[in-house]
Amino acid sequence: MQEIINNLPKQAKDKHNENKKFFAKLKKKAPKNMDYIMQELHDQEFKNTDCLECANCCKTTGPLFTDKDIDRISKFFRMKPQQFINQYLRIDEEQDYVLQAVPCTFLGADNYCSIYEVRPKACREFPHTDRKKFQQISNLTLKNVAICPAAFNIVEAMKKRIK
Ligand code: SF4
Ligand code: SF4
């Protein structure tokens, strides 16, 4: 898995123009059953992908934390939300709360998340490949294929499936 992760930025770069063109076309005209296709491709890929062998998202890019996430996680730690913010978060250029540092401080050496049950919504949804109207987040996906081997494979499978 580590070798796949190491090669991913180069592979994603090689596919970048092709992917960009594919998503531009898809934005103009997506198949009627797009959401269904994405669910199928997502499920198929994650049947074969063990995130515990990877954790590259947790290691290289942190989630953003919504107010609801902060409330839920600080309660889990029996902390005041402000205390939690001070200890773990900062505000980024887009005025969102993000982690002060990556790898994520809640990631264990065994790749388990120590706050799994209460983890941020963004972590639960990453890499967003089963979300509705997936073609609308193409800019994010173009970045995610360089981080997430599953997202990379899903986009490759999309290009074969949707002509
Ligand atoms: S979501 Fe993607 S990057 Fe994150 S652990 Fe799973 S395969 Fe790896
Ligand atoms: S909170 Fe958990 S799932 Fe989210 S980045 Fe950190 S370790 Fe990964």
Side-chain angles (χ1 to χ4, degrees):
M1 178 58 101
Q2 196 51 49
E3 206 183 322
I4 294 174
I5 294 167
N6 292 347
N7 289 334
L8 205 54
K10 169 151 191 341
Q11 275 194 297
K13 201 172 162 212
D14 291 346
K15 296 280 184 187
H16 185 77
N17 286 345
E18 183 183 300
N19 289 350
K20 220 173 144 178
K21 268 192 212 151
F22 172 73
F23 278 115
K25 216 171 112 192
L26 207 56
K27 267 191 184 167
K28 279 193 198 141
K29 193 170 174 3
K32 282 205 179 70
N33 58 347
M34 177 80 189
D35 292 347
Y36 175 84
I37 294 174
M38 287 318 300
Q39 191 65 57
E40 211 179 270
L41 296 178
H42 175 94
D43 292 346
Q44 186 59 40
E45 176 59 32
F46 277 97
K47 240 189 248 167
N48 304 319
T49 300
D50 183 1
C51 285
L52 288 173
E53 280 182 17
C54 173
N56 201 39
C57 46
C58 311
K59 287 176 188 166
T60 60
T61 168
L64 64 81
F65 289 70
T66 65
D67 290 345
K68 267 192 189 167
D69 292 330
I70 293 170
D71 284 348
R72 190 176 61 253
I73 302 166
S74 52
K75 209 176 268 170
F76 175 81
F77 284 121
R78 296 173 198 274
M79 280 169 121
K80 294 246 180 304
Q82 193 55 48
Q83 232 182 321
F84 176 79
I85 290 168
N86 294 346
Q87 193 161 335
Y88 297 110
L89 306 183
R90 66 175 177 88
I91 294 177
D92 73 0
E93 313 73 45
E94 276 137 41
Q95 303 306 308
D96 290 315
Y97 280 117
V98 294
L99 289 165
Q100 283 173 12
V102 286
C104 177
T105 181
F106 306 117
L107 183 71
D110 53 3
N111 284 347
Y112 275 87
C113 169
S114 63
I115 59 165
Y116 191 75
E117 305 77 38
V118 292
R119 69 197 185 286
K121 184 169 177 278
C123 300
R124 282 202 308 270
E125 295 179 352
F126 191 85
H128 314 286
T129 36
D130 59 348
R131 68 155 258 168
K132 297 217 177 340
K133 299 197 173 115
F134 177 66
Q135 68 276 21
Q136 288 179 353
I137 55 159
S138 57
N139 286 345
L140 182 65
T141 304
L142 287 170
K143 286 186 198 150
N144 286 345
V145 293
I147 296 164
C148 172
F152 181 91
N153 291 341
I154 291 168
V155 171
E156 291 307 299
M158 279 176 83
K159 287 185 286 188
K160 286 196 188 117
R161 176 87 176 259
I162 306 168
K163 299 280 181 195

